[in-house]
């Protein structure tokens, strides 16, 4: 059953070819934009690699870059096909090329759609990656003399100041780890000794936070130590007063930042996906309309164009059958080789 059949007089075919030529070049620019957006997202993710436990989220920018490059080639050939569609004598040379061309084009267009879906669906993976990465980053904050962790303190401080956040979940995360290096502790001090002895693991824990947690917009000078001790500060109530440090956790701040970035990119790529889909649909109509002219003396006759010659299921199976046949033959060859190896004499 033919899907979406339409009649195309000569003038309509010419206008379709000319309009599609312009549209394909617009899609080429859009493909370059997709690649650029992928590079932008990749760069932003790599900037915070030290606070990410895994790189699963990089599948989104990697897919965008691959699709963007593929889109450049797809739309370049589309423009060439449109040019030759204006000459009935030159168009037949594309006959054997168009079937694999449409298969490859549809694959990368679907891949673009998957990248859009992933950009909205990767929040859980991003959050779990940041949760573990920030936990390690805070734990290694004091290890400025340890190879591989020398810049961890600097990175965490810059992160907290840039995103106006403190800790992983909130500022209390700093209470649970020793973030002051032993080289800066006076072990002859009674207070230091008591704090270390009071902890099972022998760590120096304080109810304080690094300077980078301080909120510069607060009218009160920053209170970063003894945050839970009301008597240590004048006119201060830990339970009721709004602290003059950042209350938002860095995980929340980074998730909001990256999801906002990916959602914006996803919306932009969605419009590019629609443009790419329009190019392929229009090119399919042009192809089928021009194929009806092949072999005719009068090339200005009215022809019919369609989207699919058969139903959707039959068309999909037509493209999948060669792949499935190849895979089955490959499996049979491998099984035969394995059988010969098993029965070979010792």
């Amino acid at each position: 059953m033919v899907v979406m059949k339409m009649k195309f007089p000569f003038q309509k075919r010419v206008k379709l070819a000319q309009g599609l030529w312009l549209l394909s070049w617009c899609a080429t620019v859009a493909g370059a934009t997709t690649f650029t957006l992928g590079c932008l997202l990749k760069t932003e993710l790599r900037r915070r690699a030290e606070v990410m436990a895994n790189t699963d989220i990089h599948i989104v920018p990697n897919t965008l870059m691959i699709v963007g490059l593929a889109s450049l080639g797809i739309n370049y050939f589309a423009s060439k096909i449109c040019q030759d569609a204006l000459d009935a004598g030159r168009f037949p040379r594309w006959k054997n090329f168009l079937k694999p061309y449409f298969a490859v084009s549809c694959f990368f267009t679907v891949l673009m759609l998957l990248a859009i879906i992933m950009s909205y669906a990767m929040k859980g993976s991003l959050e779990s990656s940041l949760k573990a990465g920030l936990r390690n980053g805070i734990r290694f904050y004091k290890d400025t003399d340890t190879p591989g962790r020398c810049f961890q303190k600097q990175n965490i401080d810059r992160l907290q100041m840039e995103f106006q956040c403190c800790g992983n979940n909130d500022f209390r995360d700093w209470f649970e780890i020793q973030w002051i290096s032993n080289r800066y502790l006076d072990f002859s001090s009674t207070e230091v000794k008591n704090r270390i002895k009071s902890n099972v693991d022998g760590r120096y824990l304080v109810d304080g936070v690094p300077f980078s947690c301080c909120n510069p917009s607060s009218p009160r000078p920053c209170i970063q130590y003894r945050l839970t001790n009301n008597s240590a500060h004048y006119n201060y109530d830990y339970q009721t007063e709004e602290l003059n440090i950042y209350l938002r956790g860095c995980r929340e701040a980074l998730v909001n930042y990256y999801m906002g970035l990916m959602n914006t990119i996803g919306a932009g790529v969605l419009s590019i996906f629609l443009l790419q889909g329009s190019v392929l649909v229009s090119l399919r109509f042009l192809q089928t309309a021009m194929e009806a002219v092949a072999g005719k003396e009068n090339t200005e006759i009215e022809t019919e164009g369609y989207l699919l010659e058969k139903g959707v299921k039959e068309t999909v199976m037509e493209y999948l059958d060669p792949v499935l046949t190849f895979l089955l033959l490959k499996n049979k060859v491998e099984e035969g080789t394995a059988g010969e190896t098993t029965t070979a004499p010792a």
Side-chain angles (χ1 to χ4, degrees):
M1 180 183 68
V2 178
V3 179
M4 294 183 66
K5 184 187 292 185
M6 295 177 61
K7 294 186 179 297
F8 287 90
F10 174 70
Q11 290 298 328
K12 190 174 181 180
R13 289 200 305 272
V14 172
K15 289 181 179 179
L16 177 61
Q18 292 173 338
L20 185 54
W21 178 85
L22 180 61
L23 193 65
S24 64
W25 280 111
C26 292
T28 303
V29 175
T33 303
T34 303
F35 177 77
T36 304
L37 291 174
C39 292
L40 172 65
L41 182 57
K42 182 82 171 178
T43 303
E44 285 298 307
L45 289 171
R46 288 182 67 88
R47 280 183 62 200
R48 306 299 171 192
E50 70 277 357
V51 293
M52 291 188 181
N54 58 64
T55 57
D56 292 346
I57 192 67
H58 286 263
I59 191 174
V60 177
N62 291 344
T63 304
L64 288 175
M65 288 189 289
I66 291 170
V67 168
L69 289 176
S71 182
L72 293 175
I74 289 169
N75 292 295
Y76 171 77
F77 282 110
S79 66
K80 292 294 183 181
I81 294 169
C82 293
Q83 282 183 323
D84 287 350
L86 297 172
D87 186 348
R90 287 189 300 174
F91 187 79
R93 68 179 181 174
W94 294 100
K95 183 177 180 180
N96 296 328
F97 172 81
L98 285 173
K99 188 173 181 178
Y101 169 82
F102 277 112
V104 172
S105 300
C106 289
F107 170 77
F108 282 106
T109 304
V110 171
L111 197 61
M112 184 183 294
L113 180 60
L114 289 177
I116 296 169
I117 295 172
M118 286 189 295
S119 69
Y120 290 95
M122 292 295 284
K123 182 178 180 179
S125 177
L126 175 64
E127 192 164 2
S128 62
S129 176
L130 286 170
K131 181 179 180 180
L134 283 167
R135 184 172 61 243
N136 290 332
I138 292 173
R139 188 175 64 179
F140 301 138
Y141 179 86
K142 63 180 174 57
D143 298 341
T144 52
D145 297 329
T146 305
R149 301 174 187 168
C150 300
F151 297 100
Q152 196 70 24
K153 176 186 179 299
Q154 180 182 351
N155 292 333
I156 293 297
D157 283 333
R158 289 184 182 277
L159 174 68
Q160 292 188 145
M161 289 187 289
E162 180 180 348
F163 287 90
Q164 298 184 352
C165 58
C166 185
N168 190 344
N169 298 310
D170 56 36
F171 65 92
R172 295 177 185 85
D173 293 325
W174 290 104
F175 299 175
E176 301 172 2
I177 57 102
Q178 179 180 338
W179 54 273
I180 302 175
S181 176
N182 287 339
R183 66 183 296 185
Y184 303 115
L185 294 176
D186 181 8
F187 286 95
S188 63
S189 168
T190 304
E191 181 187 356
V192 173
K193 290 179 180 179
N194 290 339
R195 283 189 178 276
I196 293 176
K197 288 179 180 179
S198 65
N199 185 263
V200 177
D201 299 325
R203 294 179 297 169
Y204 180 75
L205 304 182
V206 294
D207 54 344
V209 296
F211 79 96
S212 53
C213 285
C214 293
N215 185 355
S217 62
S218 173
R220 181 170 187 160
C222 184
I223 297 175
Q224 64 179 109
Y225 293 106
R226 298 180 180 180
L227 291 173
T228 59
N229 188 350
N230 291 336
S231 61
H233 312 283
Y234 176 73
N235 193 21
Y236 177 78
D237 187 349
Y238 168 69
Q239 297 294 336
T240 60
E241 184 175 345
E242 183 178 351
L243 303 179
N244 56 358
I245 59 175
Y246 298 124
L247 302 181
R248 183 174 63 161
C250 289
R251 181 175 39 149
E252 178 188 352
L254 284 170
V255 167
N256 290 341
Y257 171 73
Y258 280 119
M259 288 309 300
L261 183 62
M262 285 196 287
N263 291 344
T264 302
I265 290 175
V269 177
L270 179 60
S271 62
I272 296 172
F273 166 78
L274 296 175
L275 176 61
Q276 185 65 58
S278 301
V279 170
L280 293 179
V281 170
S282 302
L283 188 60
R284 176 60 177 170
F285 278 117
L286 180 63
Q287 174 206 356
T288 51
M290 288 300 300
E291 285 178 348
V293 180
K296 305 285 184 170
E297 292 185 5
N298 182 10
T299 59
E300 298 185 5
I301 60 173
E302 182 181 84
T303 58
E304 289 184 345
Y306 50 83
L307 187 61
L308 297 175
E309 187 177 4
K310 304 174 185 177
V312 177
K313 183 178 179 180
E314 292 83 354
T315 304
V316 171
M317 291 307 300
E318 182 180 345
Y319 282 92
L320 285 179
D321 279 343
V323 178
L324 295 175
T325 303
F326 172 76
L327 292 176
L328 288 173
L329 288 174
K330 185 178 179 181
N331 288 336
K332 287 181 179 179
V333 170
E334 289 177 351
E335 289 174 2
T337 305
E340 290 175 4
T341 304
T342 304
T343 56

